Amino acid sequence: VRSPSLFSGFPPVMEVEPAEGGWFRIFALPIIVLGVLQIMYIARKTLLVKPRDQWPPLTGTGLGMETCADGSFAFTQSAAYRLTQLEVDAAVNTADPNVLQRLLGAYPYQLDALLRLSDYCSRTGQHERSAELVERALYACEGALHPLCRLATGRVRMRWSVAENRPFFDALKRHAFGCARRGCPRTALELCRLLASLDPAADPLHALLHLDYLALRASEPAVVLTLPAALPAHSLPLYPSFAFSTALALRALGRAADAGAQLDRALLLFPAALDALTAEGAIAPAGAQWEAWQAEFGARARVAETGATLATLLRLWGGRHAELWKRDGAARWLEERAAALLAALRRGGADGA
């Protein structure tokens, strides 16, 4: 019996179910043409990527999948495939991308070779080629899926601890971020949700830390609100990104009072957020207000003095989310709430004195 999903109550990862109740892959179909038996390869519809016409037929990849005792799935590799990995390692040691390219000519769906050459193409500005190689790796993985491995349900589990699963995790993350960079935030959100659902307890590639940003970019604020309740073990509200994204999500949904209260809580938890957004040019608090804010919160108001881990989280949040706070008057709303909160704290201190 499969254990309850950690995403119980969470919408399905993908809204598009594969037709005919199964996963599609390229398969060989024998046909008779003028009395001669021939083999025709028919590309069927896939879920994660759309196969390109120039890709070789997906046959003899050496990849497969099996079920594990705990109900999770694990990719498998044939003995011949494992031998090709030795060739990939040798090719990498040459530091010559042409060697990897020639290797892919012989083994077009060798996952490690695809991902390593994609790395090189990305670093050299060949972004379209890099994205194509990642998509081909995902296509090979999807072609190897077990018939019971229905990714669209959001209940499929794969363990990062199984080495054969890691290329799929890696390719899925790269594809999600690539879609986000190409202006497809909704697709990136769905892919990132899928990645987070595969091994949600471990979240080895930190997919959860990107979901709130992608949901807001995709104009799906309700998704942000479902995440903390769906994954209570991760304490998401205690992360700067989720604390402030929740406020933006509530505001986008028209729940002004709840949004203001949440923003106040986030500012009290992370007063250095103003410093982080100011550094990114998202807000420009008046000099007197900024001085009063620092006087009230002391070192906690400055990113550099909050501690290494929190400072890193705040800088990452500020760099990525700054664009969200520049929209729809959000920056002014933040400054006004910060000023009101500061005034309330001063009144409270005066009353206590």
Side-chain angles (χ1 to χ4, degrees):
V1 179
R2 189 181 297 275
S3 59
S5 170
L6 291 176
F7 279 72
S8 57
F10 193 50
V13 170
M14 299 241 178
E15 296 181 356
V16 180
E17 283 281 358
E20 301 179 16
W23 296 103
F24 300 127
R25 63 195 69 182
I26 284 184
F27 65 97
L29 176 66
I31 59 173
I32 302 295
V33 179
L34 300 178
V36 179
L37 181 65
Q38 298 185 356
I39 299 294
M40 179 175 65
Y41 290 96
I42 300 178
R44 301 299 299 272
K45 188 176 180 180
T46 51
L47 182 69
L48 299 177
V49 296
K50 181 180 179 180
R52 306 195 186 193
D53 294 338
Q54 68 269 28
W55 289 353
L58 191 60
T59 58
T61 65
L63 297 171
M65 179 173 276
E66 63 185 8
T67 58
C68 302
D70 62 356
S72 65
F73 294 89
F75 283 95
T76 60
Q77 300 171 355
S78 68
Y81 183 95
R82 288 193 292 271
L83 287 176
T84 67
Q85 185 61 48
L86 299 177
E87 296 185 52
V88 172
D89 294 339
V92 171
N93 289 335
T94 66
D96 183 356
N98 294 314
V99 179
L100 273 178
Q101 185 64 60
R102 288 194 294 271
L103 187 63
L104 284 173
Y107 312 113
Y109 294 105
Q110 217 292 339
L111 300 181
D112 196 31
L114 288 167
L115 296 176
R116 286 178 180 271
L117 188 57
S118 173
D119 273 339
Y120 171 80
C121 291
S122 179
R123 289 196 299 269
T124 55
Q126 303 175 63
H127 300 298
E128 178 60 31
R129 174 63 172 156
S130 175
E132 180 191 351
L133 292 166
V134 170
E135 291 175 15
R136 201 200 301 182
L138 278 177
Y139 183 54
C141 290
E142 191 169 354
L145 292 179
H146 191 282
L148 298 179
C149 183
R150 297 176 61 83
L151 296 177
T153 65
R155 295 179 178 273
V156 168
R157 298 291 175 262
M158 295 183 192
R159 305 302 176 200
W160 173 260
S161 56
V162 178
E164 290 79 3
N165 288 342
R166 293 180 183 179
F168 180 61
F169 278 74
D170 190 11
L172 196 57
K173 179 179 180 179
R174 296 188 197 193
H175 188 43
F177 290 175
C179 288
R181 286 191 296 270
R182 293 192 292 273
C184 303
R186 179 56 192 270
T187 301
L189 172 63
E190 297 296 345
L191 291 167
C192 207
R193 288 170 69 185
L194 171 59
L195 178 61
S197 73
L198 294 177
D199 196 350
D203 189 25
L205 299 185
H206 310 295
L208 291 174
L209 297 182
H210 302 278
L211 288 178
D212 59 312
Y213 167 74
L214 292 174
L216 291 174
R217 273 196 61 192
S219 300
E220 295 285 347
V223 172
V224 178
L225 304 184
T226 64
L227 293 172
L231 295 163
H234 288 271
S235 303
L236 295 179
L238 297 180
Y239 286 86
S241 60
F242 270 93
F244 287 95
S245 291
T246 300
L248 284 177
L250 290 168
R251 183 172 181 262
L253 292 170
R255 297 166 56 180
D258 292 338
Q262 174 60 32
L263 184 56
D264 290 347
R265 285 192 292 271
L267 286 169
L268 288 171
L269 275 173
F270 309 106
L274 293 185
D275 189 20
L277 288 180
T278 301
E280 297 295 334
I283 60 173
Q289 179 184 353
W290 176 236
E291 290 175 4
W293 188 263
Q294 291 189 84
E296 180 67 32
F297 290 100
R300 294 180 60 223
R302 295 181 290 275
V303 171
E305 299 182 45
T306 57
T309 300
L310 182 55
T312 299
L313 290 174
L314 284 167
R315 290 191 181 101
L316 290 172
W317 167 74
R320 169 168 281 195
H321 288 244
E323 62 171 288
L324 300 176
W325 287 94
K326 296 176 182 178
R327 302 176 182 174
D328 305 321
R332 183 174 181 181
W333 175 58
L334 173 61
E335 292 175 8
E336 291 174 351
R337 294 298 306 193
L341 178 62
L342 183 60
L345 290 173
R346 286 183 162 181
R347 284 196 305 269
D351 293 343

